[in-house]
Amino acid sequence: MLFSLCASSQKTIDDDPEIQQNSINYRIEQSQVELEKYNYYDAQKNLDEALKLAEKSDNKKSIGIIYTIKGKLQLIIEEEDNAIKSLNKAIEVQRIINDNKNLGKSYKTFGDVYLTKKDYAQALDSYKAAKSKFQEEGLNENLAEILLCEGKTYMFLDDYEKARDIIEQSLAQAKKGDYKKILSEALINHGIIYHKLGDYEKALSFANEGLTLAKENNFTAILNEGYLVVSNIYYATENYKLSRDYFSEHSTLTDSIRDLTRLNSSKDQETQYLLNEANEKNIEIVEKLEKAEDDKNLGTLISILSVALITILSLLTLSLYKNNNIRLKTNNMLHKKNGELIIAKEKAELASKTKANFLSTVTHELRTPLYAVTGLSNMLLDENPKPEQVQHLKSLKFSGDYLLTFINDILQINKIEANKVDIEPESFNLKKKINNIVLALNNSAQDNNIKIHFEYDNNLPENFIADQLKISQILINLIGNSIKFTKDGDIWIRVYKIEEKDSIYTLRFEVEDNGIGISQEKQDNMFESFSQGSIQINRKYGGTGLGLSIVKGLIDILKGTIYVKSELDKGTTFYFEIPLEYTSVEEEKDNKVAYFNGDTNELDLSDVKILVVEDNKINQMITKKILTKMSLKCDIVDNGEEAVEMIKANKYDIVLMDIHMPGISGMEATKRVRAFDKELTIFALTAVTIEDKMHEFDEAGFTDIIPKPFKQEEFEKKLYNALASNNDKSATA
């Protein structure tokens, strides 16, 4: 019974996850200690034991860490190909479990391997991939180290200016975090750079500072490098005595390190082990041969058979050796390519993220001044300008609207490419929708002396469920395109059924014109972004070349197809097919509401107060003017801190909050307000790309968003609904 209890207790201890993890961690830590002491065999032994335990418990994080350290060890003992294999295994595991911290370390060691192999381009790619991970995780010490590695790589490429800039970043990070080892090595490498750039005074200053730090903290390898660097600098300044002294220190320390390395080399120990094993086998063979000599006849036969067997085995061994070599080379190549593909993917993801951030920043910076352009032009047109000024103001308004359309098109393309466009199906009347589009575009058609003909199949139902906004965008772009490239002609719009299955109708839409047409060579890439017929066409007819690209993207999202048939000087026909679901439910009629038109008996606007938080003086003036025309009073502040204080001191019905301001942002200001007022209506009046930031606005506590530059009707509607809602709450209370 006692034996059974002991066995059960032992089994429970072995299966305890915490004990297993502690055992794995202990062996990993020991391997790193042994690595620092140049005890490579003991380090390898600890890693192998840790790996067995980690694989037994399926501890993927520990498995990844172990393979990373194995790769580092294999690099030290000059087994680069094995190091690549180990690191690929580490990266494969770490990517699956999103262990970004250790993934960055694996990329860093990958860079060290490529640096050893003198593949500097791959080394830089690996270091940059590691840097991206360390920045994401806020690992400042690792970031300082990877910047140092990147700088050293540029030194190998003889780009000392670039190396200096990057190592200065490493120095700044190391000083900030007091990372002495990285700081010491960075200072010595800075000395090398200034030596190469010919500034010996700075070179000595940096190198000696790094050398002192290495001595104080017993950083042996860095100290050894520092002696050589200082010796070289003194030699360049013709101070041969000091150069010789430092070189002597370097030589002594190098010999000491080499002896220690050789003593503890895992290769030597592995070789000794193999020799001992071979000797034992030889002794065994000799004993057998001596025994066989007792029987000469049997011995002769055995000898003949032995020779034959040895010959066969030799041939087999040779064949296996060659096959094994081929397999190893193939595996090494595959591992290398796999590593390169992983790094390329990381670079592509980083590029995509950078592009998204760039678009968000640029569109914000463009929308802000456009708010002033469109706002001022609308205001001036409403203030009875002189007759000779009207055309100028209309031109200004047209230019502002054109720029805004261009920005929106770019954002739409970006959303389509990033698969961020959602389908929003609703019931609607298709025939009525197309009639409304024709009416909206009819003025533009008449300017070009064009007659639009609309043909809707009489046997086709009118009510469908689909994303009517996207269908409208497609038709507006295609019909607008036909209007632009047709003069004194006709445009035909046709809709008819080509297939019906249950309640799903596949409809064909045709937009035909008799305009200038499109050449065959231009038809091949006409659905690509920024693609137009020619520079001359762009000059004459205008446009950005984004319309058809947006059309193609939207039709793909709606699971449809688009085709084009065109002939120069005869005209063009675009036809697309999309599936729509039939419904018997009729579209709800629009009940238009007049906002702030003087007939607002339901609302008492006399006591309504609005706070406008905006740092741009022109935008302040425009927003105040718009609110005044709506009979609304407002206060204006130009920063977030003052906005919070004003809200504490006054009772406001609505706050219009800009996002980017000096001091605290609109996001932070709103969070502070929500700490003491949960009910106040706060609109984000912003030029930020809404789709990318919506979750941030929700988290900050905004009631809703009004994008700049805003449409007057939308602005009035949101304010009216907010005030009506506040009025209802007051009445209920």
Side-chain angles (χ1 to χ4, degrees), residues 654-722:
I654 295 173
V655 176
L656 300 176
M657 181 80 73
D658 188 27
I659 299 302
H660 296 295
M661 295 181 291
I664 65 169
S665 67
M667 293 273 194
E668 179 60 30
T670 302
K671 288 177 183 176
R672 293 187 186 183
V673 170
R674 288 304 181 214
F676 61 85
D677 192 334
K678 305 287 186 186
E679 302 298 324
L680 177 62
T681 301
I682 306 176
F683 288 116
L685 192 62
T686 176
V688 171
T689 308
I690 294 171
E691 290 80 5
D692 295 338
K693 301 287 184 180
M694 183 62 81
H695 68 285
E696 294 182 24
F697 290 121
D698 288 340
E699 289 170 4
F702 284 102
T703 308
D704 203 348
I705 298 166
I706 301 175
K708 291 191 292 189
F710 51 73
K711 294 178 182 177
Q712 185 74 20
E713 183 183 347
E714 182 187 351
F715 183 65
E716 290 186 10
K717 179 181 178 181
K718 289 200 173 183
L719 262 62
Y720 183 90
N721 289 341

Side-chain angles (χ1 to χ4, degrees), residues 208-222:
N208 279 319
E209 188 181 349
L211 199 61
T212 303
L213 201 59
K215 280 181 184 176
E216 289 172 355
N217 294 276
N218 198 26
F219 300 143
T220 309
I222 299 171

Side-chain angles (χ1 to χ4, degrees), residues 220-432:
T220 309
I222 299 171
L223 183 63
N224 190 38
E225 183 189 9
Y227 283 139
L228 182 60
V229 170
V230 174
S231 172
N232 289 337
I233 297 169
Y234 276 125
Y235 189 86
T237 59
E238 299 181 359
N239 190 336
Y240 301 120
K241 183 181 182 305
L242 283 175
S243 174
R244 188 170 56 252
D245 291 345
Y246 277 99
F247 187 77
S248 176
E249 294 282 356
H250 166 71
S251 298
T252 304
L253 191 53
T254 299
D255 291 340
S256 174
I257 292 171
R258 189 184 295 115
D259 291 342
L260 190 59
T261 306
R262 188 183 298 118
L263 181 67
N264 294 289
S265 170
S266 63
K267 275 184 172 294
D268 292 343
Q269 294 192 23
E270 183 182 358
T271 303
Q272 188 61 48
Y273 172 80
L274 292 171
L275 283 171
N276 291 339
E277 190 176 36
N279 285 333
E280 287 175 7
K281 286 183 179 178
N282 285 335
I283 292 166
E284 187 179 343
I285 290 167
V286 169
E287 287 175 353
K288 286 180 179 178
L289 286 172
E290 287 175 350
K291 186 178 179 182
E293 282 181 359
D294 293 339
D295 190 339
K296 289 183 180 180
N297 293 330
L298 183 61
T300 304
L301 181 61
I302 287 172
S303 297
I304 294 167
L305 290 174
S306 295
V307 169
L309 185 61
I310 289 167
T311 304
I312 293 166
L313 287 174
S314 297
L315 290 170
L316 284 172
T317 304
L318 182 62
S319 175
L320 286 170
Y321 175 75
K322 286 184 175 180
N323 288 337
N324 192 48
N325 272 351
I326 293 167
R327 184 176 59 81
L328 282 172
K329 285 178 182 177
T330 306
N331 282 345
N332 288 340
M333 185 174 68
L334 287 172
H335 280 299
K336 182 180 178 181
K337 292 296 177 188
N338 186 46
E340 290 172 3
L341 284 171
I342 290 169
I343 291 167
K345 183 177 182 294
E346 293 287 340
K347 286 172 71 178
E349 288 172 355
L350 183 62
S352 177
K353 187 177 177 183
T354 305
K355 175 189 168 186
N357 289 336
F358 171 76
L359 279 174
S360 180
T361 303
V362 168
T363 51
H364 174 267
E365 294 305 314
L366 288 172
R367 282 171 179 266
T368 301
L370 273 176
Y371 177 62
V373 172
T374 55
L376 286 170
S377 56
N378 282 325
M379 283 167 49
L380 291 169
L381 282 167
D382 290 341
E383 291 177 355
N384 298 319
K386 294 177 183 179
E388 63 271 19
Q389 293 176 330
V390 172
Q391 189 55 45
H392 298 317
L393 290 171
K394 284 184 176 178
S395 297
L396 180 64
K397 183 178 183 300
F398 172 81
S399 298
D401 290 340
Y402 175 85
L403 279 173
L404 184 58
T405 302
F406 180 51
I407 292 165
N408 290 336
D409 283 350
I410 291 173
L411 291 173
Q412 181 82 324
I413 288 288
N414 192 47
K415 283 174 65 183
I416 289 170
E417 288 176 353
N419 294 320
K420 289 185 178 178
V421 180
D422 297 322
I423 297 177
E424 299 175 4
E426 56 186 320
S427 60
F428 72 106
N429 187 303
L430 179 62
K431 186 176 181 181
K432 180 182 173 185

